[in-house]
Amino acid sequence: MHHKEKHAFEPKIIAFVCTWCTYAGADLAGTSRMQYPANVRVLKFPCTGRIDPVFILKAFQQGADGVLVSGCHPGDCHYIAGNFHARRRFAAFRKLLEFVGVDLGRLQFSWVSAAEGGKWVEMVTDLTERVRGMGPMREFKELGLEEQWSGAIDTPELREAYDSI
Amino acid sequence: MTNTIDTSIYAAVTEAIQGEVRRILSEGSVSAVVGYAAARRKGSAQPIVITDAARAEELVFSAACVNNLAVYLTKAKKEIPKTGKIGIVVKGCDLKALVGLMGESQLKREDLYLIGVPCAGVLASTAQPSQELTGDTIAPKCRECDARLPAGCDFVPDQRPVSIELAGKYSAEIARLEAMTPAERWAYWKEQFKKCIKCYACRQVCPFCFCEQCLCDRNKPQMVETTPRPAGNTAWHIVRAMHLAGRCAGCAECERVCPMDIPLNLLNRKMAKELKELYDYEAGFEVREKGPLAMYDEKDDQSFIK
Ligand code: SF4
Ligand code: SF4
Ligand code: SF4
């Protein structure tokens, strides 16, 4: 039983990619008939600079078990500096997610060029396998299931105020 | 109590502020002054805007002057800056917010007359306004203050605050959380975030939340659920901390006004700490055109990118 359940888990991986490099790289992997896990859903963006951290949050909330963000190598950005800006934003965002308790193993950033079909396959395979080992991302899903406001009005100040009435 | 903090300079500071404001208003070099006045409850203070030199005597400075008045000069409150050059009473921590706003082109230095306050500290939100300032009643931000004497103001009273040594609460709490496992941290923040009632007081009081339309209010597409329930709350707090990263002045107003006692500043201060480590950037000391997340260096760390 337990054994079966374990194998029933297929991680959902959301990949946010830029159209100029990584998307073309993924396309190359496809047209070259390279095999990679079917767990990844690709979302194409004009640039990594357009990938707002809130998208990653939303992906986790909507059921992603892992997220891949990938764009052009430094120096190759179609818009010159979009990926440099993204790099800083994501460096900061990782720290924030870590501080609120998200295991960063579920989030991978990479640079994959239009010629790197093989690297795309490697990135997707690695993340999928890692997340498979980690199991489902429960945290955000559980929050979503908590339909009622918990109403945890139990601060010491309020307690004292209530008690004094 | 032994850990009493000396606030005896505040009487002289009040007098100096009144004199200066009387002068600048009567000679007409400013059109209005944003400061503090006594409020109804004994010992308490509230923000006030005066335009008449005769009313300068209403101004006060005391340990109850907790508000960051910079919020009155942001885009969201357009009427005030429009009237001409504005005088404003600022504590060092509040000045950092003004400096940040100047960097973000929300305010111009030449439109402001800065009246800096030599500051020994203000009361925590949990203290009564008439209480004495002590190591127990002082606001947590004042324990780790590095701006007791605001720099670069047009006028600062001569008094000097007696500095006191108090252990930092935010730094200790951040270290405590950092030592936890991710699951423990998640559990901690889940408890905190689920208290949120989405009143947005934290947003209204923050000088840096001046967007005319907040991402969190948009519904096409809706990026952050607006409900006061755990999922939307968590997203709200993460988005808020991210949008303030590299900008937050650390005035702790958000935390002070939160009716649910959510330790919002732990997130802001953690991000400030990380950005200092990553990009050697500290907000609020000098007017800079761009914050750390609005610029880049080709040599930035990318060890986290494969
Ligand atoms: S943080 Fe510093 S400047 Fe601000 S109120 Fe406290 S002591 Fe004064
Ligand atoms: S986030 Fe809080 S501490 Fe930072 S500037 Fe805004 S109100 Fe002040
Ligand atoms: S002030 Fe507190 S309760 Fe209100 S929205 Fe902000 S965090 Fe939530």
Side-chain angles (χ1 to χ4, degrees):
Chain A
M1 258 294 268
H2 199 83
H3 189 74
K4 197 178 164 202
E5 246 173 52
K6 204 174 161 196
H7 281 272
F9 170 59
E10 277 301 330
K12 273 202 195 88
I13 308 290
I14 303 295
F16 295 106
V17 305
C18 91
T19 187
W20 303 104
C21 292
T22 304
Y23 187 79
D27 201 29
L28 177 66
T31 49
S32 319
R33 298 179 176 270
M34 294 180 191
Q35 294 289 316
Y36 62 88
N39 303 58
V40 63
R41 278 84 164 158
V42 180
L43 281 95
K44 185 166 79 160
F45 287 79
C47 178
T48 37
R50 173 62 184 100
I51 302 167
D52 192 304
V54 79
F55 300 164
I56 298 176
L57 212 56
K58 189 94 175 171
F60 281 132
Q61 286 187 327
Q62 303 279 35
D65 301 298
V67 171
L68 176 67
V69 178
S70 186
C72 307
H73 286 270
D76 290 347
C77 177
H78 185 79
Y79 308 99
I80 300 163
N83 54 357
F84 287 130
H85 285 285
R87 186 168 64 183
R88 279 208 169 189
R89 204 176 306 139
F90 291 128
F93 189 55
R94 281 175 84 250
K95 299 288 182 187
L96 178 58
L97 282 184
E98 189 180 30
F99 195 59
V100 296
V102 175
D103 193 323
L104 294 182
R106 298 186 182 277
L107 185 56
Q108 183 65 57
F109 298 91
S110 66
W111 308 131
V112 171
S113 79
E116 293 176 318
K119 187 173 178 190
W120 165 257
V121 170
E122 193 190 311
M123 287 300 119
V124 171
T125 313
D126 277 5
L127 182 61
T128 306
E129 287 317 311
R130 190 163 76 223
V131 171
R132 194 189 300 279
M134 293 172 79
M137 167 62 142
R138 296 193 191 282
E139 288 84 350
F140 283 98
K141 269 172 250 173
E142 279 169 9
L143 286 185
L145 292 173
E146 289 186 30
E147 277 298 306
Q148 299 298 317
W149 175 58
S150 57
I153 307 183
D154 60 355
T155 66
E157 294 76 19
L158 279 170
R159 276 264 170 84
E160 204 182 300
Y162 287 142
D163 290 348
S164 67
I165 298 171
Chain B
M1 201 161 281
T2 48
N3 58 355
T4 301
I5 293 160
D6 184 5
T7 53
S8 57
I9 62 164
Y10 287 171
V13 167
T14 296
E15 222 172 279
I17 292 173
Q18 289 178 356
E20 183 64 5
V21 169
R22 199 172 293 122
R23 186 184 72 77
I24 55 178
L25 277 177
S26 50
E27 73 183 29
S29 52
V30 300
S31 58
V33 173
V34 190
Y36 304 95
R40 265 198 289 174
R41 209 161 142 216
K42 187 173 178 291
S44 65
Q46 68 187 21
I48 186 179
V49 180
I50 59 168
T51 51
D52 180 359
R55 292 183 64 194
E57 66 206 45
E58 290 176 32
L59 295 171
V60 297
F61 191 79
S62 70
C65 296
V66 292
N67 310 58
N68 179 356
L69 303 178
V71 73
Y72 292 99
L73 300 186
T74 61
K75 252 194 189 159
K77 319 231 171 8
K78 290 191 190 88
E79 329 75 53
I80 300 180
K82 247 193 238 160
T83 58
K85 189 163 177 161
I86 305 288
I88 181 166
V89 177
V90 279
K91 306 185 288 286
C93 49
D94 307 340
L95 179 65
K96 289 186 188 177
L98 284 181
V99 165
L101 289 170
M102 287 180 223
E104 295 184 14
S105 306
Q106 298 301 306
L107 289 172
K108 289 200 193 85
R109 179 65 182 92
E110 60 266 30
D111 293 340
L112 300 174
Y113 189 85
L114 303 175
I115 303 166
V117 180
C119 182
V122 295
L123 288 161
S125 55
T126 45
Q128 302 297 322
S130 53
Q131 255 178 303
E132 193 189 17
L133 194 67
T134 68
D136 301 321
T137 60
I138 197 168
K141 65 173 175 178
C142 304
R143 305 177 76 95
E144 281 156 269
C145 177
D146 54 6
R148 290 172 186 279
L149 274 179
C153 292
D154 298 295
F155 173 80
V156 181
D158 293 329
Q159 288 70 32
R160 292 291 170 267
V162 182
S163 64
I164 29 134
E165 281 293 328
L166 291 168
K169 277 193 177 161
Y170 289 118
S171 45
E173 191 62 1
I174 288 173
R176 187 178 77 85
L177 284 165
E178 284 171 344
M180 292 178 174
T181 64
E184 287 168 341
R185 277 197 296 272
W186 181 264
Y188 170 85
W189 285 113
K190 190 173 161 188
E191 278 309 301
Q192 295 298 340
F193 294 159
K194 78 180 187 187
K195 296 190 290 186
C196 178
I197 53 173
K198 285 281 183 84
C199 64
Y200 293 131
C202 50
R203 181 176 77 184
Q204 296 315 110
V205 83
C206 178
F208 293 99
C209 279
F210 53 71
C211 292
E212 292 197 355
Q213 190 179 24
C214 178
L215 173 84
C216 299
D217 290 337
R218 293 185 58 157
N219 54 11
K220 274 183 188 172
Q222 186 180 63
M223 276 300 159
V224 176
E225 297 94 306
T226 52
T227 50
R229 292 191 302 214
N233 290 357
T234 301
W236 157 239
H237 285 94
I238 293 175
V239 168
R240 186 179 166 280
M242 193 62 205
H243 286 188
L244 285 155
R247 306 167 66 227
C248 168
C251 64
E253 284 287 271
C254 47
E255 186 167 297
R256 176 178 73 84
V257 299
C258 177
M260 304 312 291
D261 282 338
I262 299 169
L264 295 171
N265 243 265
L266 286 183
L267 290 172
N268 298 137
R269 284 181 192 240
K270 165 71 177 174
M271 290 312 282
K273 180 181 159 213
E274 291 297 343
L275 289 174
K276 169 117 175 71
E277 274 165 32
L278 282 166
Y279 308 117
D280 195 25
Y281 183 97
E282 272 183 273
F285 288 103
E286 48 181 299
V287 178
R288 281 185 276 198
E289 238 172 77
K290 283 180 175 173
L293 296 186
M295 56 186 182
Y296 67 90
D297 187 322
E298 289 183 12
K299 291 189 285 297
D300 283 338
D301 172 58
Q302 59 168 4
S303 53
F304 66 96
I305 306 178
K306 274 195 191 161

